[in-house]
């Protein structure tokens, strides 16, 4: 497994044992662990209500409460079964963390700024740390959504 695989789009498919109309009613209830916003009739966006440091640092969507976002699509399989597909986006913003040392190196080679060599290794370490935080929060978002669907109150 490549380190950059964590930047890629992730998919999660959940089959609910209710129809689309009933599922939409269940999803319209405000949650403590995630936020849901309808984008169209069968498409929605979920985000964590609170996250470990990504709320403001990587605020890329004003409609979401954190930078960890999944887009969902509801598809009717049968009258009483619905497929929910959750998809995250490619994390282009994280690549900016790796561009900074390249720019610094170019400036250092052209202008001789005196930047210490160990300083260049800080950015890849920060990149790896933030990458793992993002990935764990994506997993937490998926888990919170599944737990909500399969909770005692819903029995989806």
């Amino acid at each position: 497994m490549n380190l950059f695989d964590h930047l890629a789009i992730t998919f999660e498919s959940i089959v609910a044992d209710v129809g689309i109309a009933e599922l939409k009613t269940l999803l319209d209830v405000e949650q403590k662990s995630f936020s849901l916003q309808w984008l169209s009739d069968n498409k929605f966006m979920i985000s964590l209500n609170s996250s470990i440091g990504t709320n403001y640092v990587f605020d890329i969507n004003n409609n979401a409460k954190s930078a960890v976002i999944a887009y969902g699509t509801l598809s009717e399989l049968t009258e009483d079964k619905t497929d929910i597909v959750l998809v995250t986006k490619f994390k282009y913003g994280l690549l900016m963390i790796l561009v900074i040392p390249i720019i610094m190196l170019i400036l250092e080679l052209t202008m001789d700024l005196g930047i210490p060599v160990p300083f260049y290794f800080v950015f890849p370490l920060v990149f790896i740390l933030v990458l793992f935080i993002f990935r764990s929060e994506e997993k937490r978002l998926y888990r919170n959504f599944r737990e909500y669907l399969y909770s005692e109150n819903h029995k989806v």
Side-chain angles (χ1 to χ4, degrees), residues 13 15 60 119 124:
S13 181
V15 176
I60 54 175
F119 191 70

Side-chain angles (χ1 to χ4, degrees), residues 10-153:
T10 59
F11 295 91
E12 175 98 10
S13 181
I14 303 168
V15 176
D17 293 330
V18 294
I20 287 183
E22 186 178 346
L23 184 60
K24 287 173 76 173
T25 304
L26 290 173
L27 292 176
D28 278 338
V29 177
E30 189 170 327
Q31 286 304 302
K32 292 181 183 177
S33 59
F34 65 89
S35 168
L36 185 138
Q37 182 177 29
W38 290 99
L39 303 174
S40 69
D41 194 36
N42 289 344
K43 294 183 188 241
F44 60 91
M45 174 184 68
I46 57 173
S47 65
L48 289 172
N49 280 340
S50 65
S51 62
I52 309 169
T54 61
N55 281 0
Y56 302 109
V57 176
F58 296 100
D59 189 14
I60 54 175
N61 189 328
N62 293 334
N63 298 325
K65 295 193 176 188
S66 76
V68 179
I69 300 170
Y71 294 93
T73 305
L74 304 178
S75 303
E76 186 175 53
L77 297 174
T78 64
E79 191 173 302
D80 58 347
K81 281 200 184 277
T82 305
D83 185 34
I84 306 165
V85 177
L86 298 173
V87 180
T88 61
K89 297 286 185 177
F90 187 81
K91 295 149 202 77
Y92 294 106
L94 293 179
L95 292 177
M96 290 305 295
I97 295 173
L98 295 178
V99 171
I100 293 171
I102 294 169
I103 293 171
M104 288 174 39
L105 183 62
I106 292 169
L107 290 174
E108 175 63 31
L109 293 174
T110 58
M111 298 182 194
D112 194 27
L113 299 174
I115 300 171
V117 173
F119 191 70
Y120 292 103
F121 295 104
V122 170
F123 291 96
L125 294 175
V126 168
F127 173 76
I128 292 169
L129 176 70
V130 171
L131 191 62
F132 283 114
I133 289 172
F134 256 83
R135 187 68 187 127
S136 70
E137 289 190 350
E138 280 179 356
K139 288 179 181 179
R140 185 169 60 121
L141 177 62
Y142 285 160
R143 185 180 63 245
N144 290 348
F145 187 75
R146 267 193 320 273
E147 286 174 358
Y148 173 73
L149 287 178
Y150 296 127
S151 68
E152 291 279 329
N153 301 336

